[in-house]
Amino acid sequence: MKFIHTGDWHLGKLVHGIYMTEDQREVLNQFVDLVAEEQPDAVVIAGDLYDRSVPPTDAVELLDEILFRINVELNTPVVAIAGNHDSAERLSFGSSWYRHNHFYLTGKLTNDFNPVHINGVNFHLIPYAEPGVVRHLLGDTSIHSHQDAMKAVIGKIEENMNPNEPNVFVGHAFVLGGDSSDSERALSVGGSGCVTQDLFDSFSFTALGHLHSPEAIKHDKIKYSGSLLKYSFSEAKQRKSVSIVEMKENGSFDIRYKSLKPKQDMRELEGHLEQLLDPSFYEKENTMDYLKVTLLDDGAMIDPMGKLRQIFPNVLHLERKIESIDQKHRQRFTSIREEKKSELELFEQFYQEMTTSEFTEEKRGIMTDVIGKVLKEEGQK
C-alpha cells in the first residue's frame, strides 16, 4: 500500500509579524494536487496541524477546506494526530464519527491502543502527550520523562501488535540525534524531552512530526516529514518536501520525496548595500521572497531597511556583519544572572511571537499587576 507522510503544517503561523496562512494555502493546494496524482491509500499527518491551541479563524477554515478536499472529494483516508502545538481536546471533537468516512484523527491519548487498519497495514496513532498525562492515564507512577512515557505507551501497543503485518507508528516526538531549528517549541527543559531510537524497533516504519527538516535524522526506518514551509531563517537552507512511502507486505518499503514550491521562499542575503540595490543583482532575484539581510558595510548608514524594502518589500530581518560578530563576543561574557528573564519579559516575548499588536505600557502595567498577584499567592502557599 502507498501513503503520503506529512506534518507540522502549523496553520496560523506568525513569522516576524506576518501571518503565513496564504502561503500555506498555496502549498496545500499543491499538496491536494499531489494526492490526486498519486492516489495513495492514506495521507498521514504527524501532528501540529495548527500553530497554537486556539488558532485564527482563517487557519481553521483552511484546514477544514483541505481535509474535505482530500478525504471527501478525493475519497482518500486521512490518518492524523495532535502535536505539541495543537489542542488535543479541540482536535478530538467529532473523531468518533469522522471514522465513518475513513478520517482517523486522534487528538487525545486514550487507553485504546488498537491500530487503524488500512489495506493490510496497521497504523498506530499516538498523539503528543506530556509525561504526566501518560502517568495518570496508565496509572504508572514510574513515568517522569518523555522517554518513560513513550516506552510505556509502546509497551501497551506491543501487547497486541500483529508481527505478521506491517506496523507503522505515527507520533510527534524529539528523537535523540535529530537536528532541531529555531521554530520548534522545546518539549521540555534540557534533554528530558528526547526519546531514544531503539524504542521504535518493533515498527516497520515510524512516521514522525516535530522536527522541521525531512533530513532531521539519519535512520533506516524512523523518518520526519519536515514542516510544510520554512518557519524561521534557521530553516532557510532546508529543502521542504513530503514523503511518499510504498509499503510492502513483508514490512519493507520504498520512499521518495516530493518538493512543494511556495510562492515566496524564505532566504538569506549577504552583501554590501550598494551591491544589493544594483539592478544587475536584484533583477535576477525573486524580490518578493521573505529575506534576512546581512550587510557587510562599515560605518554609519542612513535608513538601510527603508532603502532595501523599496526593492525587497519582504525584508523581515536586517543585521550588520560587524554587529553580529560583536554580539557573539558579548554573549560569551554574559552572566547567568543576565541570561535569566523575568516573568514579565518572558510574557512580552510570548506576546510578540503570538500577535501582531504592540506590547504597550498599559498592557505592561496590567501584566505587572497580574504577575505580582500570582507570585504573592504562590509565596503564601
Side-chain angles (χ1 to χ4, degrees):
M1 68 94 72
K2 177 166 65 174
F3 64 89
I4 298 179
H5 172 206
T6 180
D8 291 280
W9 289 3
H10 289 278
L11 299 186
K13 180 73 173 179
L14 186 67
V15 179
H16 288 271
I18 296 176
Y19 280 109
M20 304 295 289
T21 311
E22 289 309 308
D23 301 82
Q24 293 164 332
R25 183 187 303 278
E26 170 76 20
V27 173
L28 284 173
N29 284 335
Q30 295 176 36
F31 182 71
V32 173
D33 291 341
L34 177 65
V35 174
E37 176 187 338
E38 291 286 341
Q39 297 184 349
D41 298 290
V43 167
V44 175
I45 311 174
D48 282 354
L49 287 83
Y50 293 123
D51 188 58
R52 64 189 75 175
S53 58
V54 185
T57 302
D58 55 357
V60 177
E61 291 173 347
L62 178 57
L63 181 64
D64 179 72
E65 173 194 333
I66 296 300
L67 292 179
F68 181 86
R69 290 169 64 188
I70 294 172
N71 184 236
V72 178
E73 293 181 355
L74 297 178
N75 197 29
T76 303
V78 174
V79 174
I81 62 168
N84 61 302
H85 281 250
D86 297 309
S87 165
E89 290 74 14
R90 285 185 173 87
L91 283 188
S92 293
F93 173 80
S95 57
S96 57
W97 82 71
Y98 293 161
R99 288 173 173 255
H100 290 288
N101 205 57
H102 304 292
F103 177 23
Y104 306 97
L105 175 59
T106 303
K108 188 165 55 176
L109 187 67
T110 69
N111 267 315
D112 181 5
F113 294 103
N114 293 314
V116 172
H117 189 83
I118 302 175
N119 288 8
V121 175
N122 298 311
F123 289 90
H124 302 271
L125 277 59
I126 302 300
Y128 174 80
E130 292 286 346
V133 172
V134 180
R135 180 172 61 246
H136 177 74
L137 180 70
L138 301 183
D140 185 345
T141 57
S142 69
I143 295 173
H144 297 287
S145 67
H146 283 268
Q147 173 77 1
D148 298 336
M150 187 67 77
K151 184 176 181 179
V153 166
I154 290 176
K156 288 291 185 180
I157 292 173
E158 290 174 337
E159 289 177 4
N160 297 305
M161 180 185 286
N162 185 348
N164 299 316
E165 294 178 335
N167 289 282
V168 174
F169 182 94
V170 181
H172 196 87
F174 192 155
V175 175
L176 198 62
D179 294 329
S180 60
S181 69
D182 292 344
S183 59
E184 296 146 4
R185 185 184 298 166
L187 299 183
S188 66
V189 177
S192 62
C194 297
V195 299
T196 55
Q197 300 176 10
D198 61 288
L199 294 181
F200 305 97
D201 287 347
S202 301
F203 301 97
S204 310
F205 186 93
T206 297
L208 292 178
H210 182 57
L211 297 184
H212 285 187
S213 171
E215 299 177 344
I217 195 167
K218 307 296 183 186
H219 193 280
D220 291 341
K221 298 192 299 179
I222 301 173
K223 305 293 180 182
Y224 281 96
S225 64
S227 59
L228 184 68
L229 291 169
K230 299 173 183 178
Y231 291 128
S232 73
F233 287 107
S234 65
E235 302 174 27
K237 292 181 173 61
Q238 293 180 5
R239 184 179 179 182
K240 302 299 185 181
S241 62
V242 296
S243 308
I244 302 169
V245 182
E246 302 203 35
M247 186 70 62
K248 301 173 184 177
E249 290 184 8
N250 63 1
S252 64
F253 59 88
D254 295 319
I255 186 169
R256 51 195 169 91
Y257 302 93
K258 181 73 174 180
S259 295
L260 304 175
K261 186 174 177 58
K263 183 167 58 176
Q264 294 163 258
D265 197 4
M266 183 172 284
R267 299 186 292 118
E268 296 179 318
L269 286 181
E270 182 175 287
H272 292 86
L273 183 61
E274 183 179 359
Q275 171 201 352
L276 300 179
L277 299 179
D278 190 328
S280 65
F281 172 79
Y282 68 72
E283 285 175 355
K284 301 172 186 177
E285 300 280 318
N286 183 349
T287 58
M288 297 303 294
D289 284 348
Y290 298 118
L291 298 175
K292 172 187 175 182
V293 177
T294 302
L295 294 178
L296 304 179
D297 303 78
D298 295 325
M301 305 184 72
I302 299 175
D303 193 22
M305 178 67 91
K307 293 175 180 177
L308 284 166
R309 282 184 170 167
Q310 289 180 17
I311 307 298
F312 306 98
N314 293 313
V315 177
L316 302 184
H317 181 77
L318 175 66
E319 64 182 41
R320 304 280 295 278
K321 187 75 171 183
I322 189 167
E323 291 174 357
S324 178
I325 294 171
D326 288 345
Q327 181 65 23
K328 289 179 182 177
H329 285 299
R330 285 197 296 270
Q331 287 174 350
R332 294 177 187 173
F333 300 101
T334 302
S335 68
I336 294 175
R337 179 183 58 80
E338 289 172 330
E339 287 179 356
K340 289 182 178 179
K341 292 185 177 181
S342 68
E343 289 83 358
L344 181 62
E345 290 171 329
L346 289 170
F347 181 83
E348 181 174 356
Q349 180 181 336
F350 171 78
Y351 184 88
Q352 290 171 342
E353 289 177 356
M354 292 295 104
T355 76
T356 56
S357 303
E358 180 185 358
F359 192 65
T360 62
E361 286 300 323
E362 181 184 2
K363 294 173 183 176
R364 184 175 284 105
I366 293 171
M367 284 310 303
T368 299
D369 291 342
V370 171
I371 292 170
K373 290 177 182 177
V374 172
L375 293 177
K376 184 177 180 181
E377 290 178 3
E378 287 292 324
Q380 294 173 348
K381 290 182 180 180

